[in-house]
Amino acid sequence: KDFSKKLMHNYLNKSYIFFLNKNSAEYLRDIDATHAISRVWICFLQLIVDILMFLFAMGLLFIINLKISLLVLIVVLPTGALYYLYVKKKLKILGSEMLFFQAKQQKSLLESFGGIKMIKLANYETFFINLYDRFLGLFLQNEKLSKLINIFPRYLLEIISAISMCLIIIFM
């Protein structure tokens, strides 16, 4: 909340010329994006928990069976590294597109409600609804793909861990 307030204060203390170069929806998006910082912390904490769980499971595997543990480690680490390298660029592109579509979506909202009188008089409601819907759809499509890419490694590691445990039970 404090960061959003500081950002708002910073924007409002800029000169008028500063505002001519940017779309007002971008300022709205930037202020709203500060709320995403809390979501970043939650993701970071989830990552820490996942790493600790992985280390605990690998430690347990090393205690129980060293050979299978090394095999699992040899499979998991390169797979994770390759996946990270593969999706890193894609996630960056998706993030940029999401910011762009979110700004367009907010711009259409601002324009719609800012000019509601003219929209009603000219009978342009359908046009603005369709414009908003298009950008909302593109934003949600990118968000869905981004979340899928982010969650996939977790399930993959859980499957590999379950298979590893089964292998240990079978070969002991």
Side-chain angles (χ1 to χ4, degrees):
K1 182 180 176 187
D2 290 336
F3 189 72
S4 294
K5 185 178 178 182
K6 287 179 184 177
L7 191 57
M8 179 71 168
H9 181 267
N10 186 29
Y11 279 148
L12 291 180
N13 286 316
K14 298 282 185 186
S15 69
Y16 178 73
I17 296 168
F18 174 79
F19 292 98
L20 297 176
N21 297 328
K22 246 182 161 183
N23 185 332
S24 60
E26 292 179 35
Y27 302 119
L28 178 64
R29 179 203 65 206
D30 291 346
I31 291 171
D32 282 345
T34 59
H35 302 292
I37 293 172
S38 63
R39 289 191 302 260
V40 168
W41 276 107
I42 290 170
C43 290
F44 177 72
L45 291 175
Q46 183 65 48
L47 177 67
I48 297 297
V49 168
D50 288 346
I51 289 172
L52 289 174
M53 291 296 289
F54 177 75
L55 291 175
F56 175 75
M58 287 307 298
L60 190 59
L61 282 174
F62 275 109
I63 291 170
I64 295 172
N65 192 328
L66 184 63
K67 289 180 184 178
I68 293 178
S69 303
L70 289 174
L71 178 67
V72 169
L73 200 58
I74 289 170
V75 170
V76 169
L77 289 180
T79 304
L82 288 173
Y83 183 79
Y84 173 76
L85 292 173
Y86 177 73
V87 300
K88 181 181 176 183
K89 186 176 180 181
K90 180 68 175 168
L91 285 173
K92 191 172 186 175
I93 292 168
L94 282 172
S96 296
E97 288 176 355
M98 285 170 55
L99 287 175
F100 174 78
F101 293 134
Q102 186 179 31
K104 291 292 188 179
Q105 173 191 356
Q106 289 173 346
K107 179 183 177 189
S108 70
L109 281 173
L110 290 171
E111 288 174 349
S112 298
F113 294 121
I116 191 70
K117 188 176 186 180
M118 293 302 293
I119 290 171
K120 289 291 188 184
L121 288 172
N123 216 14
Y124 282 139
E125 295 93 345
T126 305
F127 171 78
F128 281 95
I129 291 169
N130 291 339
L131 183 67
Y132 175 76
D133 184 54
R134 186 177 85 204
F135 290 123
L136 177 62
L138 291 169
F139 171 78
L140 292 175
Q141 179 182 346
N142 280 6
E143 184 181 42
K144 185 175 25 174
L145 184 58
S146 175
K147 285 184 179 185
L148 181 68
I149 290 171
N150 277 316
I151 202 165
F152 178 74
R154 180 182 186 146
Y155 291 124
L156 180 65
L157 284 175
E158 288 175 3
I159 290 169
I160 291 172
S161 298
I163 292 171
S164 301
M165 295 293 180
C166 291
L167 288 174
I168 288 174
I169 291 169
I170 291 171
F171 290 112
M172 282 192 72

